[in-house]
Amino acid sequence: VGTRAQSEVGAERLKRVIDVLDAEPIIDAEMLKFLRWAAEYYRHPPGEVFAAALPVLLRQGRALYEPLEIWRATARAWQTDPAALRRRAPRQAALLEALRARPAGLDREDLEALGAGWRDPLTALERNGLARSVEIVSRAIPKAVSTHGTEPRLTPAQAAVVGAAISNPNHFQTILLQGVTGSGKTEVYLRIIDKILARGRQALVLVPEISLTPQLIERFKARFEAPLAVLHSAMSDTRRLAGWRDARDGGARIVIGTRSAVFTPLEAPGIIVVDEEHDASYKQQEGFRYSARDLAVARAQRHGIPIVLGSATPSLESIYNARRGRYVKCLLPERPGAAQQPAISLIDLRRHASRQGLSTPLLGAVRRHLEADGQVMLYLNRRGYAPVWFCPGCGAAAACERCDARMTYHAARRGKLQCHHCGSQRAAEAACPACGTAMKPVGQGTERIEEVLAGQFPRVALARFDRDSTQRRGELEGLLDDMREGRTRILVGTQMLTKGHHFPDVTLVGIINADQGLFGTDFRASERLAQTIVQVAGRAGRADRAGEVLVQTEYPEHPLLARLVTRGYEDFAEAALAERRAALWPPFSSLALLRAEATRSEAVGTYLQAAGRVARGYRDSAVNVLGPAPAPMPRRAGRHRGQLLLQSARREDLQNLLAQLAPKLEKLPGARRVRWSLDVDPVELF
Ligand code: ADP
Ligand code: ZN
């Protein structure tokens, strides 16, 4: 990250340069400054911050422009009779066919994708002069950019947002685009990007999870005749490096990526878009705990370019920033065309009979919508069969041996118990180890809901969408396709349902249990619940059919819930912000959380107490030091966990204290006996 002619470190301690990998710096001075700033803000070691910002291969010492070995069919290969070769050496023939199908050549990764065991046939082909390897160095060359596809005529509200975003393209400005699902936010992004590309600039688009939003990428590809780089963690390291390099060199005009893509270098940045800006996945939860949304805003400011934060349910932080005039708020109040906003109503679980968590009115609605040829989506944020494996004899519930948590019962594969916190598993004991009574599942998870529905609607195609049902390659895509194309009539799923899917024929959305979010220990619990309800509800009635949304709860009179349902997210946000203000929670204060964990609980206490003493020792500090206290789940994966919370009305005060405290943390008594971490602007308080 820098060079020096002299050093105060003794010559005997200096190391020799082994190799100079790159002829030019891979990160420019501006990006370096940005990363240094981020390291300072999050009080994280700069080396780890640089590492987080680089593709894995660069981190491992690969040069930026390493030649890539590819294999091509030779001239002779085109004269060979494939049928003859197929009889003699079928695997060589198949490989040759693949090589001939792609004259530009296949790289190692393409060959891997063809299936295992390509090495030997390839060597044979090379020996016989049918294939040869070449080394290429690809430096992307910017190509002309154009749009295609039909563009809908923007509504006046959409046009106003596009106008606001590009009115001053060389100035930093944050636009908070709030529009219900289906109101045309993506269309707005596309139009803004179109204008920015026309000025010869690049666009960076951040999305929560790429695997869940293949449709978004398709829309970008369909609209723009422009090189596009997609960056996410499920890609191979080679592809990722290539995309990163194209973005850096300007070959890629549009970069779409998840969290870490916020660090992608850009040759000519013109706009940043953060889609679903409220999504928790923008926050890195381990190591360098940054918020990609917040860093994106900081980055736009450094570049002097506009940034658009889009969501149907903006975070309370962003709503507050708009209210204070830091962000420009733009609303898309209606869905274009005929699509209507779905009506949300509550079902009081105390007043209606229910069958395994499904109330009579909800079951009735499912039947009604199926009969009217609609599709149904049911949301429950709990995978597995039942959250409790229970003994009716003595009241015991199966617990995880390594966590302060219950085991979830999974019915698949003859019944097993799984801890959703540490992943440990065991067979479900049939009889209670304490009293011998037969154990049974209590409560509902997605598997159980699926089972009940299968009993109620035996002839209806039903599918489950959660982490368990989408583990294998292709399963997720398959489930989404079946739903989109109408083969699945009822889809039961978890949080994964809330992400931007467009299923035009869904007319009923049911939220099986809203209550988990109403009384959560985290001050963000109600905000998350409201976002989930609105996001899931947004899946209903997206096309020309009206949607209906039913929310089951035992607390229909809960003020925040009632407000959300009767008056909408805006109004909910007002009320929730008032609560936050009263309790001095963010955005009315800034937080930092020092976490520590160890196999022995005393070690945690000793360390956090020492940290607390230091933090309290700064006189005239305007920072509240709360704790140490046990974490909401005091033991997880066999480790005891505690935390110290720092809270301050002003961000600067907190930053000043952290500047003094952070360097001391590793030297405190007992620091070596715990695992500790500092989380600035934590999203989860556990
Ligand atoms: P969001 O991103 O807010 O969910 P989209 O941009 O995906 O909304 O728009 C929802 C649907 O409405 C899409 O099918 C889109 O093509 C269509 N749409 C968006 N803007 C317009 C418009 N101005 N006129 C007609 N249809 C539109
Ligand atoms: Zn566990």
Side-chain angles (χ1 to χ4, degrees), residues 228-243:
L228 182 129
V230 179
L231 299 169
H232 59 91
S233 53
M235 290 169 82
S236 78
D237 293 340
T238 316
R239 293 267 145 94
R240 224 169 149 171
L241 173 58

Side-chain angles (χ1 to χ4, degrees), residues 632-652:
M633 184 181 295
R635 199 171 55 103
R636 177 150 144 190
R639 293 176 159 270
H640 295 273
R641 310 154 75 229
Q643 54 193 34
L644 188 74
L645 185 65
L646 306 172
Q647 180 193 43
S648 164
R650 286 177 11 146
R651 191 179 294 277
E652 300 81 67

Side-chain angles (χ1 to χ4, degrees), residues 7-48:
S7 172
E8 49 287 8
V9 179
E12 69 290 349
R13 290 184 53 213
L14 293 176
K15 299 262 203 287
R16 275 177 197 288
V17 170
I18 301 167
D19 194 3
V20 177
L21 293 171
D22 300 289
E24 55 188 295
I26 53 176
I27 290 179
D28 65 15
E30 207 179 331
M31 188 57 142
L32 204 56
K33 255 168 61 192
F34 173 63
L35 295 176
R36 282 187 193 283
W37 172 83
E40 193 157 303
Y41 181 83
Y42 288 106
R43 304 289 154 193
H44 202 73
E48 285 186 26

Side-chain angles (χ1 to χ4, degrees), residues 543-624:
D544 47 358
R545 313 166 111 191
E548 183 176 1
V549 179
L550 297 175
V551 180
Q552 297 193 138
T553 173
E554 293 200 16
Y555 307 93
E557 67 289 342
H558 190 287
L560 288 179
L561 191 58
R563 231 175 145 127
L564 176 71
V565 171
T566 52
R567 302 202 225 154
Y569 187 79
E570 282 280 300
D571 207 81
F572 158 83
E574 285 300 310
L577 274 172
E579 283 192 358
R580 295 266 183 99
R581 185 194 291 275
L584 261 191
W585 283 121
F588 301 95
S589 66
S590 288
L591 303 179
L593 191 63
L594 177 65
R595 297 184 179 91
E597 57 173 52
T599 40
R600 288 183 39 242
S601 67
E602 305 82 60
V604 176
T606 309
Y607 176 75
L608 289 177
Q609 265 152 24
R613 268 195 302 280
V614 176
R616 288 187 174 98
Y618 300 112
R619 291 211 289 137
D620 331 314
S621 165
V623 177
N624 291 324

